[in-house]
């Protein structure tokens, strides 16, 4: 999955734009939010409600930003799977058309995130275990929420149930894709840190230049690894969703036998419902 997703990125490098802009937007928001809270003081003067309110806002906006640009990546990848050149503008327009369900999903995710954080904050081993198990189950159940929102016009319950059903239909491939891409992203990040360390050694004794060069080279390589990992994950997720709903391997994955990797195909004939050209979807 990781190698074939890499083929898609090599053929259409513009797909990297979506996780890049999404990541930068998310970082800018978090720095602004918690920087303001730090300067005004309530984060530390009242660590109870203030912290959870800040966490809710952070989870909400971060989830929406990430989901919005992931939706654009999914839409653009779907275009690439059909042999067409993806358009950044068209993909963003498709994501914007889905802004309301994406916002609804972000609110739900923020509420759940705060609940998990509240459980984790309990000084109790059982609570820590429960929070961990719930977080894993939630991640699995919502793995395909964004593709469902992009390709369909789901209600709140449908976006969650359809995501969970799709994961069940592709559990072997989904778990394999997540694991392989996470490992690949980790290795790229390690290479970035290694370049930073090498730069630090090579520029030894150069004072400020040493520090700047280390941060610039090492930090850039590290962030590039994370960027590629996010893009690979979005491409693989789209490929899995297309296979689960259309029962056919998309372009760039047509030499891969998905069925050998496990999963349940009993409900794989559902189709793409409204699709990108359906109600509210728009054609890209």
């Amino acid at each position: 999955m990781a190698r074939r997703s890499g083929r898609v990125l090599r053929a259409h490098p513009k797909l990297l734009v979506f996780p890049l802009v999404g990541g930068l937007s998310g970082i800018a928001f978090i720095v602004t939010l918690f920087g303001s809270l730090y300067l005004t003081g309530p984060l530390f003067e009242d660590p109870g409600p203030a912290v959870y309110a800040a966490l809710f806002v952070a989870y909400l906006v971060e989830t929406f930003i990430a989901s919005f640009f992931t939706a654009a990546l999914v839409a653009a990848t779907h275009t690439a799977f059909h042999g067409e050149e993806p358009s950044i503008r068209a993909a963003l327009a498709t994501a914007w058309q889905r802004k309301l369900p994406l916002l609804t999903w972000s609110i739900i995710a923020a509420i759940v995130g705060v609940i998990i954080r509240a459980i984790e904050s309990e000084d109790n081993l059982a609570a820590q275990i429960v929070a961990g198990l719930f977080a894993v189950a939630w991640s699995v159940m919502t793995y395909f929420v964004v593709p469902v929102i992009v390709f369909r016009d789901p209600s709140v319950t449908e976006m969650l149930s359809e995501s969970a059903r799709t994961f069940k239909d592709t559990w072997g491939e989904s778990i394999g894709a997540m694991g392989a891409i996470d490992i690949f992203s980790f290795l790229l990040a390690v290479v970035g840190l290694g370049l930073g360390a090498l730069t630090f050694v090579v520029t030894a004794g150069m004072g400020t230049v040493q520090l700047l060069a280390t941060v610039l080279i090492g930090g850039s390589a590290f962030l590039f690894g994370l960027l590629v990992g996010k893009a690979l994950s979005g491409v693989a997720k789209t490929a899995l969703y297309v296979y689960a709903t259309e029962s056919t391997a998309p372009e760039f994955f047509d030499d891969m036998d998905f069925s050998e990797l496990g999963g349940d195909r009993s409900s794989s004939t559902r189709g793409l419902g409204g699709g990108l050209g359906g109600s509210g979807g728009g054609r890209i």
Side-chain angles (χ1 to χ4, degrees):
M1 291 299 298
R3 288 198 304 272
R4 288 162 177 79
S5 298
R7 294 178 188 173
V8 180
L9 291 183
R10 287 194 297 272
H12 305 283
K14 66 173 65 175
L15 295 177
L16 290 169
V17 169
F18 302 113
L20 173 61
V21 177
L24 292 177
S25 300
I27 292 172
F29 169 75
I30 289 297
V31 170
T32 301
L33 174 65
F34 286 98
S36 300
L37 289 173
Y38 177 81
L39 293 175
T40 54
L43 181 64
F44 299 99
E45 293 176 3
D46 185 10
V51 168
Y52 288 114
L55 283 176
F56 175 79
V57 173
Y59 287 152
L60 172 60
V61 178
E62 275 287 289
T63 302
F64 181 79
I65 292 174
S67 299
F68 180 85
F69 286 101
T70 299
L73 173 61
V74 167
T77 300
H78 189 262
T79 299
F81 285 165
H82 286 77
E84 302 175 19
E85 182 64 26
S87 164
I88 294 176
R89 177 180 296 180
L92 291 174
T94 299
W96 182 250
Q97 290 174 343
R98 300 303 198 195
K99 59 185 177 296
L100 292 182
L102 288 172
L103 178 60
T104 301
W105 153 241
S106 301
I107 293 172
I108 295 171
I111 293 173
V112 172
V114 170
I115 292 174
I116 292 175
R117 185 65 188 87
I119 297 174
E120 287 177 339
S121 65
E122 295 292 326
D123 188 16
N124 185 305
L125 179 59
Q128 300 285 334
I129 295 175
V130 169
L133 292 175
F134 183 69
V136 171
W138 178 252
S139 297
V140 167
M141 185 176 72
T142 60
Y143 185 69
F144 288 100
V145 160
V146 173
V148 169
I149 290 174
V150 171
F151 294 124
R152 296 177 178 271
D153 188 15
S155 65
V156 174
T157 56
E158 286 172 344
M159 69 174 66
L160 297 177
S161 62
E162 182 69 14
S163 174
R165 187 182 302 115
T166 303
F167 190 93
K168 176 177 176 290
D169 292 346
T170 61
W171 64 266
E173 301 93 319
S174 298
I175 293 174
M178 286 189 291
I181 291 173
D182 285 345
I183 292 173
F184 185 72
S185 302
F186 174 76
L187 293 176
L188 285 177
V190 169
V191 170
L193 293 177
L195 287 175
L198 179 62
T199 303
F200 184 82
V201 172
V202 171
T203 58
M206 300 179 67
T208 304
V209 174
Q210 179 186 28
L211 178 61
L212 291 176
T214 300
V215 172
L216 181 61
I217 296 177
S220 298
F222 178 80
L223 292 176
F224 178 75
L226 298 180
L227 170 66
V228 171
K230 290 291 291 183
L232 288 174
S233 179
V235 171
K237 189 178 298 185
T238 307
L240 289 170
Y241 186 82
V242 168
Y243 175 65
T245 54
E246 297 182 355
S247 297
T248 182
E251 189 173 349
F252 297 96
F253 293 81
D254 47 13
D255 61 341
M256 178 176 177
D257 187 358
F258 286 83
S259 62
E260 289 185 350
L261 299 178
D264 177 11
R265 291 296 174 296
S266 60
S267 58
S268 294
T269 59
R270 294 188 302 277
L272 287 177
L276 289 174
S279 175
R283 179 174 176 81
I284 62 172

